[in-house]
Amino acid sequence: MNMAAQIGSSAAAARAHEELYAYWAGLRSGPRLPGRGDIKPEDFKRLLPTVSLIDVRRDPLDFRLRLAGTGLYSVYGREITGRGLDDVYNSAAADYWRVELGKIVEERRPAVGVHSLSWRGASHMSILWLRLPLATNGVDVDMILGYDAVVGIQGQTSSSSGIRAA
């Protein structure tokens, strides 16, 4: 992938993140988080192929992919709907997601980052991810809305990847 294509895909990913974040933020009611019932998939059809819904399980805290867009099949190499983190990822990647998703549940705030697909043997590829907390009661996060954009960025695996707000 040439540099212009990398920059183009990164810019498109950032625009998609902004679009889904703005949609989610528009559903908030003051400090209250939107719930799954507030989300209308037809409002962001273009993004659905790499959208996911993650169930939050308590005692102990864990996560299960309730729904994964069809575009994620090629990222993960198989269907991941209905699977837990340990069924989808190797242990290092599962631990990474447990920490990141745990912060979202605890802080009740969205998060964004970059995660290398090296665990799948694709170290030249990364996902730019966005995770948005949902709460049926407006307070306790019980689901997380996710969006992943696959980009061919060499060797960037931390969230200090130079992604800035536009």
Side-chain angles (χ1 to χ4, degrees), residues 71-153:
L72 294 174
Y73 187 94
S74 59
V75 176
Y76 294 96
R78 60 193 168 128
E79 180 57 66
I80 60 171
T81 295
R83 295 179 186 265
L85 298 181
D86 292 321
D87 298 330
V88 175
Y89 303 101
N90 69 17
S91 58
D95 290 347
Y96 167 86
W97 283 113
R98 254 187 210 96
V99 168
E100 294 296 335
L101 297 172
K103 280 192 267 189
I104 294 164
V105 170
E106 188 182 316
E107 297 170 10
R108 302 175 55 245
R109 289 187 6 216
V112 64
V114 179
H115 192 238
S116 168
L117 291 176
S118 56
W119 61 272
R120 271 218 61 214
S123 56
H124 62 292
M125 301 297 284
S126 293
I127 55 168
L128 293 177
W129 58 264
L130 172 68
R131 297 292 182 270
L132 303 164
L134 301 175
T136 301
N137 66 7
V139 178
D140 302 305
V141 177
D142 54 9
M143 202 173 278
I144 296 170
L145 176 63
Y147 178 78
D148 295 342
V150 179
V151 290
I153 299 176

Side-chain angles (χ1 to χ4, degrees), residues 1-99:
M1 185 182 257
N2 67 31
M3 186 56 82
Q6 283 187 22
I7 291 167
S9 64
S10 300
R15 279 194 305 276
H17 280 198
E18 288 166 10
E19 185 181 324
L20 195 59
Y21 176 83
Y23 175 79
W24 173 87
L27 297 173
R28 290 191 70 162
S29 175
R32 295 181 68 77
L33 296 170
R36 167 62 187 96
D38 299 317
I39 304 291
K40 307 279 183 276
E42 61 272 17
D43 292 343
F44 48 92
K45 264 193 193 120
R46 180 177 78 75
L47 304 178
L48 290 179
T50 58
V51 162
S52 58
L53 274 177
I54 303 155
D55 279 328
V56 177
R57 297 187 161 170
R58 309 265 178 179
D59 305 319
L61 183 64
D62 208 358
F63 305 93
R64 185 181 69 89
L65 286 134
R66 170 183 285 251
L67 178 98
T70 55
L72 294 174
Y73 187 94
S74 59
V75 176
Y76 294 96
R78 60 193 168 128
E79 180 57 66
I80 60 171
T81 295
R83 295 179 186 265
L85 298 181
D86 292 321
D87 298 330
V88 175
Y89 303 101
N90 69 17
S91 58
D95 290 347
Y96 167 86
W97 283 113
R98 254 187 210 96
V99 168

